[in-house]
């Protein structure tokens, strides 16, 4: 039961980070959304808001990496297409006022957060894990390790940039344009030997 309460609080924190960001995330809202008692704060998160934000960002990063690990594709182009299809609904949520919980902890959380560097470290590790997962998929699909790492990084940059642009525009159109541009730079055949994709192609 205690573990379930903590899990619900972390899930609530992830949602609040996505919608409101770190500075606006409060324990009052976390308790309201999770249904936990106020005493659960001190029991599960003696480190306060910073500990909760760290654990929420870490879990969200692990969840996303798990989804990336499940992508099925045989060619680099299919990897990119599968990635774009899987993240589109997440970006659609950003167009309606959402965002990325991992990115949220890289922004100043106010006086309640004593150590901003620990949050940035968790975010950096999360993003690196996503890039690493995609790099592995692309390498397995036939790309060189350096090309795969470049493309994987671009894919994550596209996703994170889309969160911001789509939220500002209130539309998923910026993501769709970026996705089309990303796909247009890839070899249409998906053949690993095709050198259409190379460093600096975009």
């Amino acid at each position: 039961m205690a573990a379930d309460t903590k899990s619900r609080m972390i899930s609530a924190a992830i949602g609040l980070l996505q919608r409101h960001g770190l500075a606006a995330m409060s324990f009052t809202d976390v308790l309201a959304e999770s249904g936990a008692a106020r005493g659960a704060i001190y029991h599960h998160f003696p480190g306060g808001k910073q500990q909760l934000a760290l654990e929420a960002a870490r879990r969200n990063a692990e969840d996303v990496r798990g989804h990336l690990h499940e992508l099925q594709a045989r060619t680099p182009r299919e990897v990119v297409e599968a990635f774009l299809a899987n993240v589109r609904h997440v970006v659609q949520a950003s167009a309606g006022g959402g965002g990325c919980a991992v990115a949220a902890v890289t922004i100043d959380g106010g006086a309640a957060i004593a150590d901003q560097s620990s949050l940035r470290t968790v975010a950096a590790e999360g993003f690196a894990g996503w890039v690493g997962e995609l790099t592995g998929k692309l390498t397995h699909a036939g790309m060189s390790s350096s090309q795969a790492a470049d493309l994987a990084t671009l894919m994550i940059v596209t996703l994170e940039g889309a969160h911001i642009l789509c939220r500002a525009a209130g539309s998923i159109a910026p993501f769709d344009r970026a996705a089309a541009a990303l796909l247009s730079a890839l070899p249409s055949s998906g053949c690993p030997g095709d050198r259409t994709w190379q460093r600096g192609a975009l």
Side-chain angles (χ1 to χ4, degrees):
M1 181 65 72
D4 181 59
T5 298
K6 182 175 183 179
S7 181
R8 293 200 317 272
M9 293 177 73
I10 292 174
S11 294
I14 291 172
L16 289 165
L17 284 170
Q18 291 170 333
R19 298 191 303 274
H20 305 305
L22 180 57
M25 184 187 78
S26 70
F27 270 117
T28 298
D29 291 335
V30 169
L31 294 176
E33 294 205 8
S34 66
R38 180 159 293 276
I41 296 173
Y42 310 102
H43 177 70
H44 294 297
F45 304 101
K49 182 177 179 178
Q50 179 167 318
Q51 181 184 351
L52 176 58
L54 282 168
E55 295 197 31
R58 188 175 288 115
R59 182 202 281 181
N60 189 233
E62 292 171 353
D63 288 346
V64 172
R65 185 168 185 171
H67 288 299
L68 296 178
H69 182 73
E70 295 300 318
L71 293 180
Q72 299 295 318
R74 295 168 298 173
T75 67
R77 185 178 186 85
E78 288 179 354
V79 173
V80 176
E81 289 175 338
F83 168 79
L84 293 172
N86 275 269
V87 303
R88 192 175 190 277
H89 75 282
V90 178
V91 179
Q92 181 73 65
S94 287
C100 174
V102 178
V105 301
T106 67
I107 301 171
D108 188 358
I113 303 298
D115 183 8
Q116 301 285 341
S117 64
S118 63
L119 291 169
R120 287 193 295 270
T121 296
V122 167
E125 291 173 349
F127 291 138
W130 300 355
V131 170
E133 198 66 51
L134 290 172
T135 297
K137 295 285 183 183
L138 293 165
T139 301
H140 188 263
M143 297 187 79
S144 70
S145 58
S146 62
Q147 290 176 333
D150 287 348
L151 180 53
T153 300
L154 180 58
M155 291 162 71
I156 297 304
V157 169
T158 298
L159 170 62
E160 292 305 313
H163 278 302
I164 299 171
L165 269 67
C166 291
R167 182 166 184 165
S171 165
I172 199 169
F175 171 78
D176 286 337
R177 285 195 293 269
L182 180 57
L183 288 170
S184 71
L186 293 169
S188 58
S189 66
C191 175
D194 191 325
R195 296 190 61 80
T196 301
W197 170 264
Q198 52 187 300
R199 188 185 298 269
L202 294 183

